[in-house]
Amino acid sequence: MPLLELKNITKRFDGLVAVSEVSCAVEPGLIFALIGPNGAGKTTVFNMLTGMTAITSGQAYFKGLELNSLPPYRVTELGLGRTFQNIRLFNRMSVLDNVIVGFHCRTRTGLAGALLKLGSARREWTETRMKAMELLRRFGLDGVKDELTGNLPYGQQRGLEIVRALATAPDLLLLDEPAAGLNIAETEVLMRQITALRDELGKTILLIEHDMKLVMGISDHIVVLDHGCKIAEGAPANIQTNERVIEAYLGSGFRKTHAGH
C-alpha cells in the first residue's frame, strides 16, 4: 500500500482551478519531489493534504485513511508533518523550546501534569528534551539551543523548521522549498541532511523545490505540475529528458547543461 495516495484531487477558488485532477502515489522510504513553475499548484497540494485548505473534489489517502475534511491537528497526529515556504517559527522562544513545542502532539501528560509537576510529567519532559537535543545535533543546531530563534541566521532557521517538523514524529515529511534562500554550500549540506533522513531514519519525504541540482541529486521519484495539472511523472533521469517538462519548466538551457549526463 502506498503511504500517500492522491486520486484526482482538485482545488477550485471561485472560478479559478488551482489544482486539477492530480493523481499519484508516494511509496514508503522514498524522497518524492513535486516540481513545476511558480503558480503550478504545488503548495496548494500541500495545503490540501495538511488540512489548511479543503479538497474540492477527489480523495487523498494517508496510510489508507482518507484525509479529506480532517483538521490540521488530526493530520499531524496521523503522522504527516510539514514545513512552510515562508518560515513560521516562534522567534521570541529559544531554539530548544521551538523543537519541544513540536513534540506536543506526542506527549501524554498534558498541561495539567506539567503544571502540577507530577513525576510522570517530569520524566516525560526529560525524555522530550533529550529527543529534541538529538534532532538539533543532527542538524548542527545543538550549540545554539539557548539562542532566541529570531536571532539565528536564515540558513539555521531553515534547518530549525525541519527539526521542529521532525519533532512531530512524522511518517511522511512535507518540505516546502527547504533550500529557498540558501547559498550553494548550505544547499549541499541540506542535501546530505535530507538524504540521511531517508537512509538513516527511514523517513519518507515529499518536497517542493526549485533548485534542480537538489531535486535531481536526491529524489527517487518526481511529479511535475504545470497550471495545476500533472504533465509528467517518473525517475529523475526520465524527467530531465522529458520534452514537455523542458518546455514548460526546465528550459532549453537545462537540456544543454545536462547533455550527456
Side-chain angles (χ1 to χ4, degrees):
M1 179 187 297
L3 186 60
L4 176 71
E5 188 172 14
L6 312 184
K7 294 185 176 181
N8 299 313
I9 63 168
T10 296
K11 180 62 187 179
R12 297 187 184 90
F13 295 100
D14 296 326
L16 172 68
V17 180
V19 176
S20 179
E21 298 186 348
V22 170
S23 298
C24 63
V26 178
E27 300 295 333
L30 299 183
I31 296 176
F32 193 103
L34 186 62
I35 68 172
N38 287 328
K42 304 180 298 296
T43 295
T44 301
V45 170
F46 270 26
N47 288 341
M48 285 192 285
L49 296 180
T50 55
M52 304 291 289
T53 188
I55 298 173
T56 304
S57 63
Q59 293 82 35
Y61 297 93
F62 179 58
K63 296 191 286 190
L65 300 172
E66 188 172 333
L67 293 176
N68 298 47
S69 303
L70 289 184
Y73 78 90
R74 280 289 295 128
V75 175
T76 301
E77 289 174 350
L78 285 176
L80 202 158
R82 74 170 292 182
T83 65
F84 292 86
Q85 186 175 348
N86 299 314
I87 296 173
R88 297 187 183 183
L89 295 168
F90 301 110
N91 288 330
R92 295 187 179 182
M93 292 173 60
S94 73
V95 168
L96 180 58
D97 284 343
N98 264 271
V99 182
I100 288 173
V101 165
F103 280 98
H104 174 70
C105 68
R106 303 297 174 200
T107 55
R108 300 179 299 276
T109 54
L111 180 60
L115 291 175
L116 293 171
K117 298 182 179 180
L118 300 176
S120 57
R122 289 197 298 270
R123 286 192 297 272
E124 188 170 57
W125 164 256
T126 300
E127 292 172 4
T128 299
R129 192 179 189 281
M130 289 174 59
K131 292 176 182 178
M133 286 300 298
E134 178 56 38
L135 289 176
L136 288 172
R137 275 191 289 273
R138 177 171 287 277
F139 278 75
L141 295 170
D142 51 312
V144 294
K145 64 180 177 64
D146 296 320
E147 291 285 338
L148 285 179
T149 298
N151 294 338
L152 292 184
Y154 182 83
Q156 289 187 327
Q157 290 190 26
R158 276 284 175 200
L160 178 58
E161 190 169 45
I162 296 175
V163 170
R164 188 177 63 180
L166 286 169
T168 67
D171 295 307
L172 175 62
L173 178 62
L174 309 185
L175 302 178
D176 195 347
E177 296 195 31
L182 302 186
N183 60 37
I184 293 174
E186 290 170 333
T187 300
E188 289 177 350
V189 170
L190 178 67
M191 289 173 68
R192 292 194 294 271
Q193 291 169 332
I194 293 175
T195 302
L197 293 179
R198 177 195 62 194
D199 297 343
E200 298 173 14
L201 299 184
K203 295 296 182 184
T204 306
I205 296 163
L206 174 58
L207 65 89
I208 294 170
E209 187 51 67
H210 286 288
D211 187 318
M212 287 300 101
K213 181 181 178 182
L214 184 152
V215 169
M216 299 302 173
I218 69 173
S219 299
D220 299 299
H221 196 83
I222 300 172
V223 164
V224 187
L225 299 184
D226 185 34
H227 293 95
C229 300
K230 184 174 79 171
I231 63 170
E233 179 176 1
N238 296 330
I239 296 300
Q240 290 179 36
T241 57
N242 185 297
E243 291 297 327
R244 191 173 179 189
V245 176
I246 290 171
E247 180 182 351
Y249 182 49
L250 298 180
S252 59
F254 185 90
R255 183 197 290 115
K256 294 174 183 177
T257 301
H258 291 76
H261 288 269

